[in-house]
Amino acid sequence: MASTVRVQAPIGQRALFITTLAVPLTGWTVHAVSLHRKLSAARRDPLTGLLGRDGFTAKARQITDRYSDHALVGIVDLDHFKQINDGPGGHAAGDRVLAATATRLTAWAGSRGAVGRLGGDEFAFAVRIGPARRELRLTQLAALLAQPVEVDDGALVDVAASIGAACPDVLGTRDLSLLQRAADAAMYAGKHTGRAVLAGPQHATVPSINGRRAGRPGTDTLGAAA
């Protein structure tokens, strides 16, 4: 009888010990899942739902690394956006235009593409499009982003966007920073023309400061600090 008690006691202690361990482990698991979800949410822009700069960069690099011959990286700036923010609809109208632009870019890029908001009225995309269809697809994007946006009071706001794009096979590099720099220069070359510009080798040599075309807002200060 005594031997039976001696056998059962360690088993009960082990069960209690395992249960005691399981409780904090379960708690840490729940905490880890919650933290992962928060970090994932933090990588997205709260207004548009698009990827933030870091999240976009990670996904865009996957596209350029895996599909270099069919990758297309682009920069989009909304034209005269300050006038929309300062207009009758105010910042609410501006927010509606930003959200509509994000929706249109996402629909154009498709489920396999990456779209991000880099800040303000500046967006970026990375998609898989073959060389034969690049010009057509960029023309379609320009037309899509130029459609008026309905704001809260039902009024239509005219919008336009400047678009620049770059391809690894054209520029001979998969470096995302170099591709975005060339796309930025191409976008500026076609500013306010209503057409997208595909970067050539000449756009890759435009002077830059901290990865941005010289003259872009904020580059002077950053350059002086550097």
Side-chain angles (χ1 to χ4, degrees):
M1 184 71 176
S3 61
T4 302
V5 173
R6 283 197 299 271
V7 172
Q8 289 178 343
I11 293 176
Q13 290 173 0
R14 285 200 301 271
L16 178 61
F17 178 70
I18 292 171
T19 302
T20 303
L21 282 177
V23 172
L25 284 175
T26 301
W28 276 110
T29 301
V30 172
H31 174 72
V33 171
S34 175
L35 181 61
H36 175 72
R37 289 175 178 171
K38 289 179 180 179
L39 289 174
S40 297
R43 298 178 71 182
R44 292 195 172 271
D45 174 58
L47 174 62
T48 63
L50 296 180
L51 293 168
R53 186 180 294 272
D54 292 342
F56 170 78
T57 298
K59 191 167 183 180
R61 280 179 175 154
Q62 292 178 358
I63 294 173
T64 55
D65 288 346
R66 294 179 184 178
Y67 312 104
S68 60
D69 291 342
H70 291 74
L72 185 70
V73 174
I75 299 292
V76 175
D77 259 5
L78 295 179
D79 296 337
H80 309 299
F81 182 71
K82 187 176 185 301
Q83 294 180 12
I84 297 175
N85 264 339
D86 294 343
H91 288 280
D95 288 349
R96 181 61 67 90
V97 169
L98 291 173
T101 300
T103 299
R104 293 168 179 179
L105 274 169
T106 301
W108 177 85
S111 59
R112 295 184 178 182
V115 180
R117 183 185 178 198
L118 303 184
D121 60 327
E122 184 180 23
F123 300 84
F125 62 81
V127 292
R128 293 168 54 189
I129 299 176
R133 302 184 65 237
R134 287 170 183 163
E135 295 285 356
L136 174 62
R137 295 285 281 124
L138 286 172
T139 299
Q140 291 173 340
L141 177 60
L144 182 63
L145 296 182
Q147 295 180 11
V149 174
E150 183 176 344
V151 294
D152 290 336
D153 59 1
L156 292 177
V157 175
D158 290 329
V159 295
S162 296
I163 306 167
C167 312
D169 58 319
V170 173
L171 299 182
T173 179
R174 297 184 183 183
D175 188 298
L176 182 62
S177 296
L178 295 178
L179 291 170
Q180 287 185 303
R181 184 189 309 170
D184 186 61
M187 182 275 296
Y188 183 73
K191 194 71 175 169
H192 305 307
T193 64
R195 61 183 180 86
V197 178
L198 190 60
Q202 72 276 17
H203 296 105
T205 60
V206 172
S208 64
I209 299 173
N210 295 319
R212 304 296 300 278
R213 173 181 48 78
R216 291 280 280 172
T219 55
D220 292 339
T221 301
L222 290 172

